[in-house]
Structure formats: C-alpha cells, structure tokens
Amino acid sequence: QFSMEKSPPNGSLLGGNQHQEALMLEGHTIDPHQFLGMEVNPRAAAIAELVVWIGFLQWHFRTKGAAPAEPILKDFRTIKAMDAVVAHDGKDLVLDASGKPETRTDAEGNRVEAYSYRNPRRPAWPEVDYIVGNPPFIGKGEPMRTAFGQGYLDALWSAHPHINESADFVMYWWDRAAELLTRKGSRLRRFGFVTTNSITQEFSRRVMAARLKAKKPVSIIMAIPDHPWTKATKDAAAVRIAMTVAVAGTREGVLREVTREAELGSDTPLIELTERVGDINPDLSVGADITGSVKLAANSGLSSNGFLLAGRGFVLTETEAGALGLGKRPELATLIRPYRNGRDLMTIPRGVMLIDLFGLTSEEVRGRFPEVYQHVLATVKPERDRNNRDSYRRNWWIFAEPRSELRPALGGLSRYIATPETAKHRVFQFVDGRILPDHMVVAVASTDGFHLGVLSSRTHVAWALRAGGWLGVGNDPRYSKSRVFDPFPFPAPAPELQDEIRSVAEELDAHRKARQAEHPHLTLTQMYNVLEKLRAGTPLGPDDERINAEGLVLILKELHDRLDALVSQAYGFPADLTDEEVIGRLVALNKERAAEEARGVVRWLRPAYQMARAGIVEEAAPRAAEDQGEMLLVAQAGAEQKPSFPSDEVARTAAVMAALASTPGTVEANAVAAGFRQGKRIEPHVRATLTSLVRMGFASSRDGKSYQLRRAA
C-alpha cells in the first residue's frame, strides 16, 4: 500500500534520470533490491514488485543503451505481503449468544463473517532512508467500519492507542513514519505521502499537530493541501489529494497552492501553483496557526450538527404523515415535524417530514402510536438489522445519534440559525424552530440577528474556510462546529453597533426569503453563484442575468457589503485587511478571550440559557473589561437559576440527557430532579427516563441508582 526506498550500503539513493556513475561508488549499483514495500494484498504485492522491475529496465535501457546482466529479473521479494498498520496473532470468529457466527455487511453489500483479533500491535517496518507512498483512501468512521469490520477497527485502535479514533485511515501511516523519523538512531531522513485532502480536517490534523509540536518535532518541508487527482476516470474525477513531505527537527517549508487547473483528464494536465515559504501548520497553511485556537465557554452548548438518522423510513411525505395520524392526533405534532438537509437549505426544500421518537421506548410507541410503530417497524428496522453497530440495531426506532446538547438548546426557540456542513457557498439563514435539521446541517441555537450578521460576514467566513477546510465531491468548504464555531471570538461592540448589524442581518434574511417566495424555482446557490461573479467582475450569461433580476442580487451584494463593513468596525479591524490578516487577528483575539475566561470573565452569547446550563448566575455588579468600555457578564458560582421540567417526552429526555452531560461523574435520579424547579415531584419521571436511557444504551448504571451518560466517540 506504499513503497519504501533504501539506499545502497555505502551511498545515497539518487532518483530521476541521474546516471548511476554519478554515485562515484565503483562496484555499487542501484536496482530493485533497494526498493522495499508493504502491500496487504499478495497479488498486488507481486504486481508492485514487477512494476518496479519494469521501471528499472526502462531506466537501464534509457541510460545504458542495453539490457542489464542476466538474469534480467531477480526474485528479491522486497515487496512484502503484509498489513502495514496492524499485526496480530490470529483472528477468531465472533459468535452470538447462541454460538452461531456473527456477520456484518461489507463494502459490496454482502454479508460476511465478523472476526476479532488476538494481541493486536503495530508491525515492524524495515529500516530505510526514505519512505514514500499513498495509503488507502478510505476515510474515517462508517467507511472504515464497512471496509474492515468492527473487529479490525478495535484491533487498529488498540495497536495505536495514541491516535484518536476519528482520524482518517491514512493518518496511521503518517504518524508511524513521523515516529520513526524522530526515533533515536533512526536512519530515516524524510518521508512523503499522497493522501486525500481531508487530512486537513480536525480529527486528522490532530495527528499531525501532535508530531509537529512534540518535544522531538517533525516539520513539514513541502505541502500541497489541495490538488486534483489528474488523469482520473469519470467517476473519480472529483477526487482531491494532499501531498506532504516531512523531516525531523524544526524547519520552514514550502507551501504550494493550486491557482489554476485544466485538462485534468488528458495526458498533459495543466496545474499552476503559487509558493509561500514559512512554518507549515497542521492544517497545511502558512501564517497564523488557527489549529491552536481553543474552544470558548462563551459559545458552548449552542451549536451542533443535526440528527443522524440511519434509517430512511423516518422520512415521510406530508401525505404519509397524514396517514399516520398527523393533524388528527395532537400528540403527534411533537413527534412528526418538518425536516431539512443541506440541499433543502440551498436549493428547493423537498417538503418532507421526520418521525422523531427520541425519549420513548419501543413498547411506548407501539402502545400509544401503533400506526407510527408499524411504519417504523416495516421501513427502519430491516435497515437497522443490517447495520454493523450494535447500538443502532438495538435502538432501531430512534435516530442513531441523540444530540443531547442540541435538543435542549433549540427547545422553545421560534427560529434558529442553520448552515450546511458542506456547501459551495457558506450561507447562514434563520429556519423555523419546528424544523428538525439533518446531520449534515450545523444548527446554531440563537434567534438573534446580531449573531446571524456576524456569522454571515466576510470576517467569519474567512475564519470558517481556514478552520474548517475543504471536502466533498465538489471540493466544497466544510463547516466543523468544533473547530469553526466553538473557538470563534464574536465581537463585543457597543449596543448601538450591535443593533445596526442586527438590522442589516434581518434585512438580508428577509430579502432572500422574499425573492424565493416570489420565484419558487430560485435557489440560494444560484443567487450566490451570481454574487460571486459580480464580485469577481465576471460577465454574466443569460441565465445569470435572469437570476440577477429575480433574486435582486445587486441588493444582496449591497447588504453583504454593509454587513462586512459593520462587523469589521465591531472588531475594530481596518476594512482593507486581507483574509490572512483577518485570520491572524482572530487567532490573537481567541487567545485573549481564553485568558479572560480563565479569569472568570465570559462573554456569553445566550446568557440566560448558557449560565443556567452551567449552574451560574450573573453577578450583581458585573466587571468591566480592562481594555474595553463595555460591561461583561461574569461567570461566578451562585444560586441556581433552575429551569422547568418540560411537559412532552422528547423534551424531557433531552433535558435529562443534558443534565447527565453536564455531570463529569455519576449522578442519582434525585440529584437530577433537584436541578429543576419542580424538584422531588418529578423524581419518578426522571428515574423512568434514566432507566429508558440505560435500556437504549445512551446511559449506564452499575447499581441501578447512579447514572452516567455514555459519551459518543
């Protein structure tokens, strides 16, 4: 799966078309025995060794004009058929309770046997001077689970316990090479990998950050963070790759960024790059290191991805929802609600509904809503039965992920802010509070137009593009709430300026909605495509002119320009800063805010909700910031401002899960009940909810009295 280069015994490897005589080592030659490799597939390993020989023979004919000495092909067996990241002492069939072999669904949709692995560990790699390769482009999470099975993933994680389980598969190669590079006495000089460009995403770049910032660091001396996969097939034409080369120690590197690409499917693709020199950060950038920014308490508990369904049967048309009783049975209004995914937000909404049974046991659903139960039993359970995750199969009637922070944050809000996780344009908008967001939508639990205005500004979008990175078939920007929203330092302007930003943001949101209401075929993607062309000075075609007229895109541009200017003013930034300069100032501001919060000063975005959630209240005489005139809300321990226990089951379950999430250890039912205004009166309801959460695998209890939330990986 990747190749390793080894120098001659007393010399250095020279590549390209340099002549063998240039080594000036009489009697020494370079041939395929110095090229070592590991490939998990035995047939592919044999083919790889043959390819190396073919390349060597072509080189020999080109530089020597004749064939090498016979035998022309030698069986060096330098490409080993082995797993490069997991060694073990054998694998065993996984048996169910009845003693029968368990099965799983593989990448081709076939049912295959499941295995566990004995004594998993990292395999030994040969000692070499250089490592190069392109590890498997499998990704993380479910793609890995489908490709290998849970047993292999458990073995992989056990063999590499220092790597977070959400990292891309390729990072296990990158990390091992970095370890060998810094090992005492290692002969390794440098390594280089071709990977997918997703290595700049949060969980993968953590692996690089740990090595770049270690006591014995490595440095990236060349990186191309986003490059097309040239000469690709039609199906793979959108694949994007990253390239990295690393050495031991602390050194500057060369960052190459693609500025133009054309003719990617031809024999002569056109790729133009620019170069910048400097310290290369874990996100493969040069300049301010945004990866070092920390999460701020001020933003906590307000943003989350929407609901991961793992069951297409949860989605209904309005007609299907009516057939299940919506509109006839009032209780269903909280269980069947409108649903939006990222495409709905940016194009034309599908008008679909979503069944949300969170907080109910399967017995409760069957007894109270039999039509809904039968529908989910017929359309969701068969799909869940084939899922490789035991918890998904066991809790087949509810969504795969509970989103314990999002549910209480959205509770009672008439609207909230939403943006697609991955989209060509980073657009934020208000959506109705009844709408349930898809897991590929990032929701921000705020009704404040000031927050919408800041998020929609060029200042925040520049931060989002750098912190979130790029991903997807269209190489679209990705909005990671943990790396983009949580550490983002909002400005703290005077109330008058906040009101101005709020007013323009409300006008922006209303303008877009009004244009789409008048022209139902008009999409936000179309409007922002034209806006992008207007900003770039690109001539508009006939379709663009129609969209410009229907969407009044010049007004859209004017509103965004006003927002950009007002938000820059709110930060005290000059209006003509480059994106790189904006990011540098925001990184510095993040550090200032983190230092403030360490002293107890928190600039809450939703003070009443967040402070009650954290069990704190506003100090009677709030402090003033040392270097600013505005008054701050100060996080000081005090009397609790207890919320009311919700009336419907879904909200109750979310509230109990939020209480568990805010408790570092175990907690008893009476303690959870005491956190609400009703206190002891609701203890039986709390205990029943906790028992249901344990049954569904979302909480654990060793003694049936104290409970703890199971944390998602």
Side-chain angles (χ1 to χ4, degrees), residues 155-179:
L156 178 71
W157 296 334
S158 176
H160 305 262
H162 60 291
I163 296 181
N164 69 83
E165 296 177 2
S166 296
D168 278 10
F169 195 42
V170 298
M171 301 315 299
Y172 292 87
W173 278 259
W174 207 101
D175 178 81
R176 188 66 192 281
E179 177 197 357

Side-chain angles (χ1 to χ4, degrees), residues 205-389:
R205 69 188 182 208
R206 283 186 194 173
V207 178
M208 291 190 287
R211 294 297 181 181
L212 295 177
K213 300 174 182 179
K215 290 183 178 179
K216 290 184 177 180
V218 303
S219 294
I220 299 174
I221 59 170
M222 194 286 295
I224 303 178
D226 181 37
H227 193 286
W229 187 257
T230 60
K231 203 70 183 295
T233 64
K234 182 178 180 181
D235 292 338
V239 172
R240 311 292 297 190
I241 61 170
M243 306 179 210
T244 50
V245 177
V247 298
T250 303
R251 284 177 51 181
E252 288 189 334
V254 177
L255 180 72
R256 296 188 171 98
E257 295 181 285
V258 175
T259 57
R260 185 186 175 202
E261 52 190 73
E263 303 296 330
L264 299 185
S266 71
D267 292 326
T268 56
L270 174 63
I271 307 292
E272 294 181 1
L273 304 101
T274 58
E275 290 189 0
R276 298 171 61 197
V277 177
D279 293 334
I280 298 181
N281 301 314
D283 62 347
L284 305 188
S285 67
V286 168
D289 184 7
I290 203 170
T291 66
S293 300
V294 299
K295 297 179 181 180
L296 298 176
N299 301 7
S300 62
L302 296 185
S303 177
S304 173
N305 283 80
F307 303 107
L308 177 63
L309 307 185
R312 287 167 290 184
F314 290 119
V315 182
L316 305 171
T317 65
E318 293 182 359
T319 301
E320 290 171 332
L324 295 182
L326 184 64
K328 302 172 186 175
R329 303 177 65 178
E331 308 106 303
L332 286 179
T334 61
L335 303 181
I336 302 179
R337 293 161 56 185
Y339 171 58
R340 297 285 187 276
N341 62 18
R343 184 179 292 274
D344 293 326
L345 295 179
M346 295 302 295
T347 58
I348 308 298
R350 295 166 293 166
V352 295
M353 311 289 286
L354 193 64
I355 300 173
D356 182 11
L357 301 174
F358 181 71
L360 302 176
T361 65
S362 60
E363 292 82 3
E364 289 172 328
V365 178
R366 185 176 62 240
R368 295 174 57 189
F369 310 106
E371 300 89 353
V372 174
Y373 180 86
Q374 175 157 308
H375 173 83
V376 178
L377 181 69
T379 62
V380 175
K381 191 174 188 300
E383 185 175 345
R384 284 290 186 86
D385 286 343
R386 297 190 299 270
N387 198 288
N388 291 326
R389 283 200 183 185

Side-chain angles (χ1 to χ4, degrees), residues 47 65 109 116-117 139 142 174 183 223 292 401 407 412 416 462 488 512 566-567 638 668-669:
I47 293 173
S116 62
Y117 295 77
E142 201 57 39
W174 207 101
R183 180 179 292 178
E401 300 298 339
R407 288 179 181 273
Y416 60 91
F488 179 70
R512 296 181 303 209
L566 288 170
V567 172
E668 295 187 3

Side-chain angles (χ1 to χ4, degrees), residues 74-88:
K74 301 175 184 177
D75 190 10
F76 288 133
R77 297 185 183 276
T78 53
I79 310 295
K80 302 295 184 183
M82 60 176 287
D83 191 315
V85 289
V86 176
H88 54 86

